[in-house]
Amino acid sequence: MASDDIARLADALSKTHVGDGELSYKGLGLKLDDAESVEELVREIEHYTGLRALRLEGNTVGVDAARAIAKALQSKDLLQRCYWSDMFTGRLRSEIPTALRSLGGALMSAGARLTELDLSDNAFGPDGVKGIEQLLKSPSCHNLQELRLNNCGMGIGGGKILAEALIEGHRQSSEHGAPLKLRVFVAGRNRLENEGARALARAFQLIGSLEEVHMPQNGINHAGVMALASAMRHNPELRVLNFNDNTFTKRGTLAMAQALRHLRNVQVINFGDCLVRSEGAIALAAVLREGLPILKELNLSFGEITEAAALVVAQAVMDKSDMEKILMAVKILETLDDEGEPDDEDEEDDDDASDASDNCDEDNGEIVKENGTTREGDSPAKPQSPITSFLSCPSAERLLQLGEMRTSLQQQVDASDPHNAADVLLKIAALYSEEPETKTAVLETIDAVLKKLLCGSAFQSYCFLSSLLVKMGLLKGEGRVKKASLVPGQLLCLEHAIQQEYFTGHHASLLHTFMSKNGGALESCSSASERLSSTLEKCLNQH
């Protein structure tokens, strides 16, 4: 090593921070290629009694230098915190696993018990994960509380290796009576995608002690998000959830919302740039109303959330006394929200059920073939129950024929399938007329169905109302959703419903918000729409 290089190293080492059990070479920009280049550093490590933390971030360490440092660490059994991020700049990717194995092997030989390990910003890929695999499984990581692997390029393969290492570490530590209790996990910008996310979800569910999870920018879509959401439910102490810049869409957001219903300690939620969209935002609003009592920050920015949905979320957090920050970038078109604007594919006439009454045998409720006959050799269809027959082909006559059985219709409505529930409700409401007997029968049935759908959890009722808004054309849904051809009677049934006890002020506010922003979607029923809007405003004033 040249004398001027030694002088520069000596000068750099003179700036190291020493104290409180920590030896820091952070950000010195040292180029440590071989054993000679780290002689002074190794000497300081060897002579540091009671070393508990070693900072090497912001330098570049070669294989031979890593071996020399590792030899010095073999006697440091008290070492607990390794801050080794951004430590291999300019190194060949093939060198990094070897260097990591040397350092990890030294920790294991020393009998160190790590509580923090930071290897962020080391672009080591899946091979780099193999370099720390044995360390993560070993007793040296059985007490690990914080693992930071941000921006390491792990990929799907690395994610799977990491997950298996954590699972094995948990198994071994559990056998010794002290299971791994990881609290902080950071792995953003690693291209984990769905398969990597699913693998890690299995580890998270098993560990169950996580307090912070940071996994932004990993190319995860709804399938991986759903797996992670399921795992989060098993970590009751979660405080921070950061999945920024992944792709939730409706299914992923609903799964996360379901998970959040079980978590009482969450303080920070970052679902920004995740395509939460309006239906997802409404589901999250429901969770905000009934849970998350100490939430401080909510980020739903750049999620394609429209103004009406954003207002629903804002209303839901108004009573959160600890709330400090909420971020939402509202999606607004030139003249109105995107809700109610049809997709091109929604305009296609693929109505496979709305005209089902044209294909019903009124005598026995049997669905017949398209040509109106049963093919020769076919077995006669099993007669349907009166309720099933009515739901197959609703008509005022059949509703009246049900008599007292009408109240049993609610049992046929599945609250866990809000889209179908909304469809059933609108079909029943479409039978409304001013003829007294029919009017009474329809409204009684509507009351029975809505009591079931709206008197459960806020999450259940908001998901149903969200689906209803989509069917009515007041909210743009995901995918191909056939909007109902609205008739005035459906809106008049809603006018009746909002005046009942089961229709709370929160429900009325949700409906009013979307009607006030997108009332044009109800132009075909303008008179009934005006009546509904007027009654909504009166109800809200009373609340």
Side-chain angles (χ1 to χ4, degrees):
M1 191 175 186
S3 58
D4 55 341
D5 290 335
I6 295 174
R8 279 198 298 271
L9 176 58
D11 179 64
L13 291 175
S14 69
K15 300 174 184 176
T16 61
H17 168 72
V18 181
D20 301 324
E22 179 180 288
L23 188 56
S24 175
Y25 305 93
K26 179 179 180 179
L28 297 181
L30 302 175
K31 191 173 187 297
L32 308 173
D33 295 324
D34 50 31
E36 185 182 3
S37 68
V38 293
E39 284 181 353
E40 283 295 324
L41 187 152
V42 165
R43 190 175 297 112
E44 288 202 15
I45 292 175
E46 289 176 338
H47 291 127
Y48 197 110
T49 304
L51 182 64
R52 296 181 183 276
L54 178 61
R55 289 188 174 275
L56 295 175
E57 65 262 57
N59 301 288
T60 177
V61 181
V63 171
D64 291 336
R67 286 176 177 148
I69 294 170
K71 187 175 180 180
L73 291 176
Q74 288 179 352
S75 63
K76 301 303 174 181
D77 60 322
L78 297 179
L79 188 61
Q80 296 178 331
R81 303 185 301 280
C82 295
Y83 303 107
W84 295 348
S85 63
D86 189 20
M87 202 171 72
F88 298 109
T89 300
R91 302 295 169 181
L92 293 175
R93 190 162 169 173
S94 59
E95 293 182 82
I96 300 174
T98 304
L100 289 173
R101 286 191 185 95
S102 296
L103 294 167
L107 298 175
M108 290 186 280
S109 296
R113 295 283 180 161
L114 297 186
T115 58
E116 296 181 43
L117 177 61
D118 187 355
L119 289 167
S120 299
D121 300 317
N122 291 309
F124 49 51
D127 289 340
V129 185
K130 292 178 182 177
I132 59 171
E133 181 179 7
Q134 294 306 314
L135 173 63
L136 291 173
K137 293 178 180 178
S138 75
S140 288
C141 283
H142 287 180
N143 293 338
L144 194 64
Q145 296 178 14
E146 299 186 17
L147 177 59
R148 301 175 190 274
L149 296 168
N150 201 60
N151 191 31
C152 290
M154 288 189 288
I156 294 171
K160 289 181 175 180
I161 296 168
L162 175 60
E164 289 303 317
L166 291 173
I167 290 171
E168 179 61 18
H170 184 272
R171 185 190 68 78
Q172 291 186 22
S173 60
S174 297
E175 287 180 354
H176 289 88
L180 171 66
K181 292 188 179 298
L182 190 66
R183 294 190 299 106
V184 177
F185 179 83
V186 181
R189 300 182 65 188
N190 271 291
R191 304 192 310 275
L192 295 170
E193 302 183 15
N194 287 340
E195 291 184 56
R198 285 194 188 104
L200 286 166
R202 289 192 290 272
F204 296 161
Q205 182 165 327
L206 184 66
I207 292 170
S209 56
L210 289 167
E211 296 178 16
E212 296 186 25
V213 176
H214 302 263
M215 295 176 66
Q217 289 184 293
N218 270 296
I220 306 169
N221 67 26
H222 73 267
V225 172
M226 291 169 73
L228 289 168
S230 179
M232 296 303 101
R233 294 176 61 167
H234 296 269
N235 289 266
E237 299 305 316
L238 267 173
R239 295 183 295 103
V240 179
L241 272 177
N242 177 7
F243 292 107
N244 188 282
D245 200 8
N246 290 290
T247 307
F248 282 29
T249 62
K250 177 183 175 180
R251 282 183 284 182
T253 309
L254 290 182
M256 276 294 175
Q258 282 276 31
L260 288 168
R261 294 179 64 199
H262 300 270
L263 302 172
R264 305 289 295 176
N265 296 306
V266 175
Q267 297 179 22
V268 178
I269 295 173
N270 187 344
F271 295 163
D273 205 11
C274 285
L275 286 185
V276 165
R277 293 184 173 146
S278 296
E279 286 184 273
I282 292 171
L284 290 171
V287 178
L288 289 165
R289 283 209 177 273
E290 64 182 354
L292 301 173
I294 59 173
L295 188 67
K296 294 182 178 180
E297 296 183 19
L298 175 64
N299 184 352
L300 299 178
S301 59
F302 305 105
E304 294 194 358
I305 298 170
T306 53
E307 183 180 3
L311 284 172
V312 172
V313 174
Q315 291 163 0
V317 301
M318 287 179 63
D319 295 330
K320 300 290 182 189
S321 58
D322 294 319
M323 182 62 74
E324 298 173 357
K325 180 166 64 176
I326 179 168
L327 298 174
M328 286 188 289
V330 177
K331 179 183 179 183
I332 305 178
L333 298 183
E334 290 183 2
T335 56
L336 75 164
D337 283 358
D338 199 21
E339 280 106 8
E341 288 294 291
D343 287 332
D344 291 339
E345 57 189 12
D346 286 340
E347 300 231 12
E348 296 178 15
D349 186 13
D350 59 351
D351 190 2
D352 56 358
S354 63
D355 295 324
S357 59
D358 293 340
N359 293 323
C360 292
D361 185 329
E362 292 292 337
D363 291 329
N364 59 18
E366 179 183 323
I367 305 297
V368 300
K369 306 301 179 183
E370 290 182 1
N371 61 3
T373 62
T374 301
R375 290 195 302 264
E376 185 177 352
D378 285 351
S379 299
K382 184 178 180 180
Q384 296 176 318
S385 69
I387 289 179
T388 304
S389 177
F390 168 76
L391 289 174
S392 298
C393 305
S395 70
E397 181 181 357
R398 286 185 175 182
L399 183 63
L400 293 172
Q401 288 174 353
L402 287 177
E404 294 182 358
M405 284 192 293
R406 288 196 297 270
T407 56
S408 300
L409 273 169
Q410 63 172 312
Q411 298 172 11
Q412 304 297 315
V413 178
D414 185 359
S416 66
D417 186 357
H419 177 78
N420 186 61
D423 190 52
V424 170
L425 184 82
L426 288 173
K427 285 182 177 180
I428 295 171
L431 305 178
Y432 178 91
S433 79
E434 291 298 332
E435 193 278 316
E437 188 177 9
T438 301
K439 179 178 179 179
T440 299
V442 169
L443 294 181
E444 285 180 353
T445 308
I446 291 291
D447 285 339
V449 171
L450 283 178
K451 280 180 184 177
K452 178 177 181 177
L453 295 170
L454 298 181
C455 291
S457 66
F459 180 81
Q460 173 186 298
S461 64
Y462 271 48
C463 284
F464 162 72
L465 289 173
S466 176
S467 295
L468 183 63
L469 291 169
V470 170
K471 294 290 289 184
M472 294 175 65
L474 293 169
L475 168 63
K476 182 178 175 61
E478 287 189 11
R480 296 182 60 173
V481 180
K482 185 66 177 179
K483 298 179 177 66
S485 298
L486 294 180
V487 295
Q490 292 163 323
L491 303 188
L492 296 178
C493 284
L494 277 177
E495 184 203 12
H496 162 82
I498 62 177
Q499 300 176 73
Q500 311 309 309
E501 289 186 4
Y502 58 74
F503 213 101
T504 68
H506 294 158
H507 298 146
S509 177
L510 175 59
L511 180 58
H512 180 265
T513 296
F514 280 87
M515 284 193 65
S516 63
K517 295 295 178 183
N518 304 303
L522 307 179
E523 283 180 349
S524 62
C525 308
S526 57
S527 178
S529 175
E530 289 173 5
R531 280 183 56 178
L532 175 57
S533 295
S534 177
T535 305
L536 269 172
E537 291 176 4
K538 291 177 181 177
C539 290
L540 289 173
N541 289 334
Q542 291 172 0
H543 286 288

